[in-house]
Amino acid sequence: MPSAPPAPADPHVHDSADRPAERAQQDVKQPVKQPPAADRVYAHVKQAVLERRYEGGTLLTEGELAEAVGVSRTPVREALLRLEVEGLIKLYPKKGALVLPVSAQEIADVVETRQLVEEHAARKVLPAPPRLIARLEELLERQKEQAAAGDLAGAAVTDRCFHAEIVRSGGNEILSRLYDQLRDRQLRMGVAVMHAHPDRITKTLTEHEEILEALRSGDAEAVVDIIHRHVSWFSNLARGEVR
């Protein structure tokens, strides 16, 4: 509940600066409240899986996770159940949780869905509003900096944001929500690509430049063609399972 607004100053009462005890009490910072234990475990494991610090095929135990996050085993179980529902892990009683590899079918499904949504949105967004162009320019510059610094996980997040901005600008809220459901899979695949093909980041930046230029020029066929080729490249991963 929001705190009540301060009472009007009373001219007959001295300023709090003249009252050391009150001033000291005001200077004490309130401790930051931590999220629930299960939420902390969930965030820890999910982030590690998406960034491939826990790669596909890794067996995670409740004890190790409890120690890593600094909690008991009960919230660990709760968090792992949530992650199993999301398809990131598979629970094995009395053994632990297996981080599931990215399957060839999952890659193919994500690529197909992305093409349908992103190409449709790219056509609808034209002529591209100036604020979209400015936002894409900002994201592209950030991705270049992340690539130069070797921040592959960060570059994958920015890559996903670049495409999501185009989808959102298409104005279809249902498609935007559908696209948001792909987020975790996109991030995991993106990091996998950059680790397996370090040279791909340069090509990605070039293709983002091309998408941006096609949007600036208002060439619908060009932007759709570039997006199709750009997203299709992920199909290369579907030749086998990517860990």
Side-chain angles (χ1 to χ4, degrees), residues 23-187:
R23 186 173 69 252
Q25 185 177 8
Q26 290 173 343
D27 289 341
V28 175
K29 294 182 178 179
Q30 296 296 321
V32 178
K33 187 177 180 181
Q34 283 192 323
D39 289 350
R40 300 205 308 274
V41 177
Y42 170 84
H44 168 81
V45 176
K46 186 169 186 174
Q47 192 69 21
V49 170
L50 296 182
E51 294 181 358
R52 296 183 75 250
R53 286 182 282 116
Y54 292 155
E55 296 189 10
T58 301
L59 184 65
L60 308 174
T61 67
E62 290 182 2
E64 290 170 342
L65 293 176
E67 183 177 354
V69 184
V71 298
S72 67
R73 294 194 180 196
T74 300
V76 172
R77 295 188 193 102
E78 181 181 335
L80 293 179
L81 285 169
R82 289 169 61 186
L83 291 163
E84 184 177 44
V85 171
E86 294 181 11
L88 292 178
I89 65 169
K90 173 68 176 177
L91 290 175
Y92 290 93
K94 299 182 180 180
K95 292 184 179 180
L98 182 71
V99 179
L100 295 176
V102 181
S103 70
Q105 185 60 52
E106 180 180 358
I107 293 169
D109 290 347
V110 169
V111 167
E112 183 178 13
T113 306
R114 285 191 61 185
Q115 286 174 335
L116 289 170
V117 175
E118 291 186 36
E119 292 172 24
H120 175 77
R123 291 183 187 278
K124 283 194 68 180
V125 80
L126 293 175
R131 70 174 174 220
L132 172 61
I133 298 299
R135 177 60 176 156
L136 295 179
E137 289 172 341
E138 175 189 338
L139 289 169
L140 180 56
E141 188 59 34
R142 181 191 303 172
Q143 193 176 24
K144 288 178 180 178
E145 293 171 357
Q146 291 166 327
D151 182 5
L152 300 183
V157 171
T158 305
D159 182 290
R160 195 265 170 195
C161 289
F162 184 94
H163 291 272
E165 284 292 335
I166 298 173
V167 173
R168 276 194 290 271
S169 295
N172 188 317
E173 289 298 323
I174 294 176
L175 282 182
S176 293
R177 287 196 293 270
L178 171 63
Y179 192 80
D180 285 343
Q181 292 174 15
L182 299 177
R183 178 183 180 276
D184 291 346
R185 291 181 170 87
Q186 282 181 257
L187 293 180

